Amino acid sequence: MMTVRERFPRLFAAALLWLACAGYVFFGGMPAFVVQMAADWHYTATQQGVIAMAEVVGNAIGSLLLVYVIHSRTARFTLACGLLMQLAGNAAMYGDPAFWLACCERVFAGIGGGIVFGTAIRYVSLNPRADTLLPLMVVCQYLGMTLLTSVIVPGLGSIGASLIYCAATAGVSLFVLFFFMDGCRVVGESPDGELPAVNAGAAWLVLASIFLVSACAGLAWTFLEAVGLASGLAPDQVHKAIGASAVPTVLVCLCMPALLRRGWALSSGTVLLSVCAAGALLLATPLTPWTFAVGATAFTGAWMASGVAQYAMLPGFDPVGRHIALIPACVGIGSAVGSLVGGGLIDSSSAFGVAYDISAIFAVLAIVSMLAAHRWGAQRSVIGEAPLRDSTN
């Protein structure tokens, strides 16, 4: 008997994309969201940073819980718990909470987001059409994050944005859960029911690369607006320049399926991360408005598209999906580390050059980690210890 997922593969793919966006967009837009919360609930700048960190910590905890604690439960139960935690944590913010209560609520909501995002990306990565779904997922996350931070939050405030987000998530949650009524688990089995070998070393190296890229992005993206202002642009011009980078970013991501089908995940990821490092180095130089626009565009487009290549590499080393579900933890912790390192460097030197040089170093280390993962995986495959499958077929 065919499962619901097998009977409606396109609807299932759409549900996965929604889950991936629901688990990430709110987390990705959190920096702008906490700024708005300062206006709504009068949090100080330091308190805003702590609240953003609470969301990151929650996402990491949720991802780790998914892999090491609740992995034996059904996907339907796991998703239901994650969605309810996310909704409850956001709904609790409506009562004008005290600072430490707000931190607890953000951790709670972040745990739910980590569970949802980890579950979604596990199924997206192991889908037979992963070469198309992964780039589309990144594009949807990026556009959703941009919409949240540039339109919904400024226009409706933090409370209105939360209401829209929660209503949309609640409205689709029952539809999503419908696809998981056959008792499948989140991790622990492969899609064909067998237990293929897992190359844990190579998988961890890819996760390390994702962590390093997230640290690179956390450092550079957090302070990008301040860099634009330092280059001589007015605030509205900075927003336009950053917004304009969305066009090449989306185009590059949409080109990724063709590259993945040709088996170019490693080569395209290496090139994109090199461009990412070059963009960070350009932003580290004495800036003019034009060099800022070029550096910001190169960095943003390469950063987002390189994630597609990294995500596509993991299923070849981990057909079971355990390491894949750890992606939210790597992204969250990496972003937090990057923001903290960047803030400390900028506070101590009162300049952006050193911070963006460090960001470029993170990108280079991410390249090294990807190449090491490929070499390790190839060696294991040659000696017959862990046959790998092509995740893009």
Side-chain angles (χ1 to χ4, degrees):
M1 181 178 178
M2 296 180 66
T3 65
V4 176
R5 298 197 308 279
E6 293 169 338
R7 291 169 59 191
F8 305 103
R10 293 185 182 276
L11 287 177
F12 180 54
L16 288 174
L17 291 177
W18 169 261
L19 279 177
C21 289
Y24 180 83
V25 166
F26 194 80
F27 162 62
M30 196 62 190
F33 195 81
V34 296
V35 171
Q36 185 64 41
M37 283 195 291
D40 291 343
W41 292 305
H42 310 293
Y43 295 138
T44 67
T46 300
Q47 289 173 332
Q48 293 173 45
V50 174
I51 289 175
M53 178 66 70
E55 184 87 6
V56 170
V57 170
N59 271 259
I61 292 173
S63 178
L64 295 172
L65 287 175
L66 177 67
V67 173
Y68 295 110
V69 178
I70 59 177
H71 62 274
S72 61
R73 306 304 298 265
T74 65
R76 188 185 185 194
F77 174 84
T78 302
L79 279 174
C81 289
L83 288 167
L84 288 174
M85 291 180 71
Q86 212 173 21
L87 292 172
N90 291 324
M93 296 294 293
Y94 303 151
D96 193 10
F99 167 63
W100 288 111
L101 182 59
C103 290
C104 294
E105 290 165 355
R106 295 321 315 158
V107 170
F108 192 75
I111 291 173
I115 291 173
V116 169
F117 184 31
T119 302
I121 201 168
R122 188 262 178 177
Y123 280 97
V124 169
S125 298
L126 297 181
N127 191 287
R129 298 177 62 244
D131 55 346
T132 300
L133 291 178
L134 283 170
L136 186 58
M137 180 191 74
V138 173
V139 169
C140 289
Q141 289 175 344
Y142 180 72
L143 293 178
M145 185 174 63
T146 302
L147 180 66
L148 180 69
T149 57
S150 62
V151 178
I152 297 178
V153 172
L156 299 176
S158 55
I159 296 177
S162 290
L163 285 172
I164 289 179
Y165 176 81
C166 290
T169 303
V172 78
S173 60
L174 293 178
F175 173 72
V176 172
L177 294 174
F178 178 69
F179 287 95
F180 293 97
M181 294 180 66
D182 58 350
C184 62
R185 302 295 195 271
V186 177
V187 295
E189 84 285 349
S190 65
D192 55 10
E194 298 177 357
L195 292 176
V198 174
N199 191 332
W204 278 110
L205 284 170
V206 177
L207 287 175
S209 179
I210 294 173
F211 168 84
L212 290 165
V213 172
S214 299
C216 168
L219 193 159
W221 182 257
T222 301
F223 306 101
L224 195 59
E225 184 174 346
V227 173
L229 295 174
S231 72
L233 292 174
D236 60 332
Q237 293 174 321
V238 174
H239 294 155
K240 290 178 181 178
I242 295 176
S245 67
V247 176
T249 298
V250 171
L251 291 177
V252 172
C253 289
L254 292 179
C255 291
M256 289 301 294
L259 300 177
L260 296 181
R261 292 190 192 103
R262 289 172 172 79
W264 293 353
L266 177 67
S267 56
S268 61
T270 301
V271 171
L272 288 167
L273 288 174
S274 299
V275 174
C276 190
L281 289 175
L282 184 59
L283 292 171
T285 62
L287 288 172
T288 66
W290 281 109
T291 55
F292 168 75
V294 173
T297 300
F299 180 87
T300 305
W303 157 43
M304 298 299 295
S306 66
V308 177
Q310 292 171 320
Y311 296 168
M313 287 182 68
L314 261 179
F317 304 125
D318 178 23
V320 174
R322 182 178 295 274
H323 296 83
I324 294 171
L326 284 171
I327 288 176
C330 293
V331 172
I333 297 173
S335 298
V337 169
S339 297
L340 291 173
V341 170
L345 290 171
I346 292 170
D347 284 341
S348 62
S349 63
S350 300
F352 297 99
V354 176
Y356 276 80
D357 287 338
I358 297 296
S359 180
I361 292 174
F362 281 145
V364 172
L365 291 176
I367 295 175
V368 173
S369 188
M370 284 185 68
L371 293 173
H374 175 74
R375 183 173 180 82
W376 189 327
Q379 289 178 339
R380 291 284 300 274
S381 181
V382 167
I383 64 178
E385 293 183 8
L388 304 178
R389 68 178 181 87
D390 184 356
S391 64
T392 62
N393 291 333

